[in-house]
Amino acid sequence: MGQQIRQLAAEIPLIDNHCHGTINHEIERDQYEIYATEGDWLPRNGLSVLDEQFGVLTRALVAPLLGLKKHCSPDEYWTRRREIGQTALAEKLLPLTGIETFIVDTGFKSDNILTPDQLAAVGNGRAVEIVRLETAAERMITSSSATAFSADYAKYLAEESKDAVGFKSIIAYRYGLDFDPEKPSESEVAAAAAEWIAEIEATDKIRLSHPVLLRHVLWEAVSHKKPIQFHVGFGDSDINLHRCDPTQMTEFLRRTVDSGTNIMLLHCYPFIREAGYLAHVFPHVFLDTGAAINYTGPEHASLIRHSVEMAPFGKVLFSSDAFGLPELYYCGAAIWRQAIGDIMQGWVDSDAMGESDARKYLTWMASENAHRAYKL
Ligand SMILES: [Zn+2]
């Protein structure tokens, strides 16, 4: 049996369709334990994330690159990692991912992580930016007013996104994907903005969760005709997972088919099949399995297999959704390469797919689909 497709998958340059910077300072073990999980609490009863799926993956794939035995113990891994340090580890691992373009979401904890330009320099690639819709509103609200909010946000978003390749919506976190698909009216937006401003004054906290404003910022983004990434499914303890099934936003997808805006469904676990169905029926819907694959560790291949069941090969993208830890980048890229190579080599070996088709579709998924969707 040939190994050509496996080989291609191992070497092909990637576009990471959704990621964040790596941490820009040294970290202690407690911080590592939090960054290496979507959970918001340290493991209890003496347990460590290095004994969870992603930790097993890290000790299998990264340990040998640090001069350790494959599958070394959690403590051996941490001791060596601490000696090397966060910055040197990023410089070592990022270039090994083979990611040529990083599409970076800068809207989350941006003071703690490398900027897109710094990330590109460390990773030996280039970086482009995604603007987070809710963060943009939170940055401008204190210099706006209820009646001016709509116009001020339009101006602010246009300015913030002039060099960006797309947007990100976290309406799944702040409300749910079962949001009202109707574009809110100007008077509804002004009334909602007044409520939000009153809430900020009362609580001294700026966090956009008003459902009318979440819909407003989304529709404002649609008017730009740039791709909008949606957080879908799996995430930290802030989400209600049952409201993050992407089929709950089917009516919004119907209404945006001809808007000129592509909808990028991120992560998708455990709704990868639902996302695949949506990508199959709607011409402007794409998906990836970022984040989720790292956290399923040795079992990641089953997720990637689901992502290529029904979604057209021209609609599936690679992403790591790495945040903070260089290990998330390295493992995310390595296991996607491994799994997609194994899956597609299997199709070729069983004569279900021709080898030239397999090469073509693999190239699409590794980078061409991102090129097309984001007009890079
Ligand atoms: Zn992310």
Side-chain angles (χ1 to χ4, degrees):
M1 291 289 173
Q3 295 295 321
Q4 293 89 340
I5 300 303
R6 256 191 207 99
Q7 192 64 34
L8 178 64
E11 295 167 353
I12 195 166
L14 299 175
I15 293 179
D16 192 336
N17 137 80
H18 174 81
C19 58
H20 307 260
T22 51
I23 307 163
N24 58 11
H25 53 88
E26 297 304 320
I27 54 171
E28 291 304 324
R29 179 139 182 188
D30 277 4
Q31 294 165 291
Y32 178 85
E33 296 270 341
I34 284 290
Y35 276 112
T37 168
E38 285 289 312
D40 296 313
W41 294 272
L42 286 170
R44 293 180 182 169
N45 308 311
L47 295 174
S48 165
V49 295
L50 280 159
D51 278 314
E52 295 178 3
Q53 279 78 350
F54 174 58
V56 169
L57 198 62
T58 303
R59 290 183 291 113
L61 301 182
V62 181
L65 301 171
L66 309 186
L68 294 164
K69 276 203 326 278
K70 190 171 183 177
H71 313 304
C72 67
S73 74
D75 286 345
E76 283 167 337
Y77 183 80
W78 172 254
T79 303
R80 181 82 184 108
R81 190 198 195 279
R82 193 165 186 281
E83 281 164 16
I84 293 172
Q86 169 74 16
T87 306
L89 188 65
E91 286 165 0
K92 183 171 186 65
L93 294 185
L94 261 58
L96 297 176
T97 61
I99 296 169
E100 62 168 21
T101 302
F102 300 88
I103 302 184
V104 189
D105 171 1
T106 52
F108 184 58
K109 294 185 178 170
S110 51
D111 295 342
N112 283 326
I113 55 175
L114 299 187
T115 64
D117 286 347
Q118 291 168 332
L119 186 70
V122 173
N124 254 341
R126 73 163 177 150
V128 290
E129 198 179 335
I130 292 286
V131 171
R132 211 184 260 219
L133 300 173
E134 297 80 5
T135 308
E138 288 162 356
R139 285 189 181 138
M140 53 69 69
I141 185 65
T142 50
S143 53
S144 185
S145 67
T147 47
F149 177 76
S150 178
D152 287 349
Y153 184 74
K155 208 168 134 209
Y156 187 82
L157 193 67
E159 179 59 26
E160 284 287 289
S161 67
K162 65 180 190 311
D163 299 320
V165 297
F167 301 102
K168 161 104 185 267
S169 164
I170 53 164
I171 196 168
Y173 271 94
R174 299 293 173 86
Y175 182 80
L177 296 179
D178 50 347
F179 60 88
D180 181 348
E182 186 76 20
K183 186 178 193 289
S185 68
E186 287 294 318
S187 60
E188 285 173 311
V189 172
E195 286 173 24
W196 187 25
I197 291 165
E199 179 196 301
I200 293 167
E201 282 163 3
T203 63
D204 224 14
K205 284 207 182 78
I206 303 179
R207 180 185 156 92
L208 177 58
S209 59
H210 197 298
V212 171
L213 299 181
L214 290 168
R215 285 157 50 214
H216 174 70
V217 299
L218 193 51
W219 280 106
E220 182 61 33
V222 169
S223 73
H224 284 258
K225 302 186 189 300
K226 287 181 180 176
I228 305 175
Q229 301 182 341
F230 278 79
H231 177 99
V232 172
F234 170 81
D236 65 32
S237 63
D238 218 13
I239 59 165
N240 292 312
L241 188 61
H242 69 286
R243 292 178 64 189
C244 295
D245 175 340
T247 59
Q248 300 199 72
M249 54 187 268
T250 302
E251 182 56 30
F252 176 78
L253 298 176
R254 281 190 196 108
R255 294 187 191 194
T256 52
V257 169
D258 295 318
S259 64
T261 296
N262 287 325
I263 304 294
M264 321 304 288
L265 305 177
L266 305 179
H267 331 310
C268 299
Y269 181 85
F271 307 112
I272 298 170
R273 288 173 152 168
E274 285 81 350
Y277 154 77
L278 293 169
H280 177 89
V281 296
F282 289 111
H284 63 318
V285 174
F286 298 72
L287 76 142
D288 75 31
T289 53
I293 55 173
N294 269 324
Y295 294 116
T296 53
E299 197 46 46
H300 63 273
S302 59
L303 276 68
I304 293 168
R305 197 174 281 282
H306 289 326
S307 76
V308 290
E309 276 176 0
M310 185 178 285
F313 301 117
K315 301 293 210 59
V316 179
L317 284 75
F318 161 74
S319 92
S320 64
D321 191 26
F323 183 98
L325 302 180
E327 290 98 325
L328 288 166
Y329 273 103
Y330 182 79
C331 293
I335 60 181
W336 190 83
R337 291 175 182 281
Q338 173 86 48
I340 201 74
D342 286 349
I343 292 165
M344 298 189 84
Q345 186 70 59
W347 294 344
V348 171
D349 290 347
S350 64
D351 209 22
M353 180 180 276
E355 193 186 310
S356 64
D357 277 345
R359 285 181 171 279
K360 177 168 74 175
Y361 303 147
L362 179 53
T363 309
W364 286 2
M365 291 187 273
S367 63
E368 282 302 308
N369 292 339
H371 263 291
R372 277 196 284 259
Y374 292 93
K375 301 190 174 71
L376 294 178

